[in-house]
């Protein structure tokens, strides 16, 4: 039966890891997959994570099953991280540990499909490359709304709102909590409010993917949209990831959150969905996160590490723009200094992206999305000269 299968091309983002590893040039640069790197180009384990792991190693007494809903302490701590400890809906949010943000997105899509088989999910154009496979894989129909003006490198908010006007009650609108992937262009507080008002009027349900909390403006500031919508709307779906802000990528830590209908009912459906897919989430990463978030000193140490990661990426954004302007780019890449989070589009074409890889050993997604975290003081000049060369 497997004779019917043919080999598929590699994943557009994860496939870059192998391409980069196979390149034998010394001065190669990896701007592909969204993984934080420090000024030496390494992805270290956070100090706060190491400390939490030491404690867990000492204190962990059992490896018995955690159950489909995961670690209750983690679930509580993640609800507080997303909403803040004084949020009026904190007690109403059903929040369940999942294997990463991907797990959260898929479980949410399965729940949506179960609740209303005809509901569509509207995603931004463009959106993260894995959103559609993850969500459509649950059998939900995906539609798109315009988001980014590639010419001006900014959000095309009027067209976005015109499209959202057409979204019927009961459909879902996927929004990026902060650090929009792939554009780096985020909604302002006023724009969040306008979308919230439209949702209240027309009845579509916001579905907020938050994978970079802390990488935009700070832990609380980056949850602005989530907190606003959960305060003002009856139903909101959340997908949270701890991959980037805790650096726990391979541990697969995330959570799905649902506001609306009783917590017990929603959790019972999530538990049955989870049981039917992966039975229960892995324990280690969530235990680490919960240890950090529930210990004041560890939490402070973690916040300061997140601040450092954000600060380094921001400084690379500014440095890149300064360097290419000094080389004669005449403002063509200025948007990169104004955007935030891990990614921005360079705005070069696929042929130029291919030349960056072939001629210069510099790898990025073929849409010209770069991960700014891959840049540092040592490779910045190489990158900027290559960029100027291909354009
Ligand atoms: C990315 O967009 O590069 C990251 O979110 C990693 C991934 O899984 O795609």
């Amino acid at each position: 039966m497997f004779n019917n299968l043919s080999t598929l091309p590699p994943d557009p983002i994860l496939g870059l890891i192998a391409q980069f590893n196979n390149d034998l040039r010394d001065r190669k640069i990896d701007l592909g997959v969204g993984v934080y790197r420090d000024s030496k180009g390494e992805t270290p384990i956070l100090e706060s994570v190491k400390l939490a792991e030491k404690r867990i190693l000492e204190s962990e007494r059992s490896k018995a099953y955690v159950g489909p809903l995961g670690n209750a302490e983690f679930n509580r701590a993640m609800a507080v991280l997303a909403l803040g400890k004084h949020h009026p809906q904190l007690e109403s949010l059903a929040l369940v540990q999942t294997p990463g943000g991907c797990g959260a997105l898929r479980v949410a899509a399965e729940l949506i499909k179960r609740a209303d088989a005809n509901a569509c999910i509207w995603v931004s154009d463009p959106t993260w490359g894995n959103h559609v496979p993850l969500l459509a894989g649950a059998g939900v129909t995906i539609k798109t709304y315009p988001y980014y003006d590639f010419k001006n490198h900014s959000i095309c908010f009027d067209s976005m709102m015109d499209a959202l006007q057409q979204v019927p009650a009961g459909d879902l609108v996927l929004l990026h909590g902060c650090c929009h992937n792939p554009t780096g262009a985020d909604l302002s507080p006023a724009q969040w409010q306008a979308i919230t008002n439209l949702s209240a009027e027309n009845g579509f349900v916001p579905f907020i993917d938050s994978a970079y909390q802390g990488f935009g403006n700070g832990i609380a500031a980056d949850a602005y949209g989530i907190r606003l919508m959960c305060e003002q709307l009856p139903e909101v779906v959340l997908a949270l990831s701890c991959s980037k802000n805790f650096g726990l990528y391979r541990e697969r830590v995330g959570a799905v959150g649902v506001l609306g209908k009783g917590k017990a009912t929603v959790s019972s459906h999530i538990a049955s969905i989870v049981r039917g897919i992966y039975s229960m989430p892995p324990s280690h990463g969530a235990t680490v996160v919960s240890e950090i978030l529930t210990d004041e000193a560890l939490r402070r140490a973690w916040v300061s590490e997140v601040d450092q990661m954000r600060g380094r990426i921001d400084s690379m954004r500014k440095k890149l723009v300064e360097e290419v302007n000094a080389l004669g780019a005449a403002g063509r890449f200025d948007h990169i200094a104004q955007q935030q989070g891990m990614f921005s589009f360079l705005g070069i074409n696929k042929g130029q992206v291919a030349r960056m890889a072939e001629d210069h050993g510099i790898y990025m997604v073929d849409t010209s999305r770069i991960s700014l975290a891959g840049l540092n003081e040592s490779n910045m000049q190489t990158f900027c000269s290559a960029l100027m060369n291909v354009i």
Side-chain angles (χ1 to χ4, degrees), residues 11-14 16-17 31-35 102 128-130 181-182 211-212 241 243-244 249 252 342-343 365 369 371:
D11 179 86
I13 297 177
L14 299 182
L16 291 166
I17 299 174
L31 307 180
V33 68
V35 169
C102 288
W128 176 45
N130 208 24
N181 180 2
Y212 296 87
S241 168
S243 294
K244 329 279 165 162
Y249 309 89
R252 312 310 300 141
M342 239 179 216
F343 310 109
V365 182
R369 185 198 82 165
S371 168

Side-chain angles (χ1 to χ4, degrees), residues 161 165 167 169 193-204 233-234:
M161 290 301 275
Q165 279 285 0
V167 177
Q193 186 63 65
I195 301 167
T196 304
N197 295 347
L198 192 61
S199 162
E201 272 161 40
N202 291 359
F204 64 75
L233 297 171

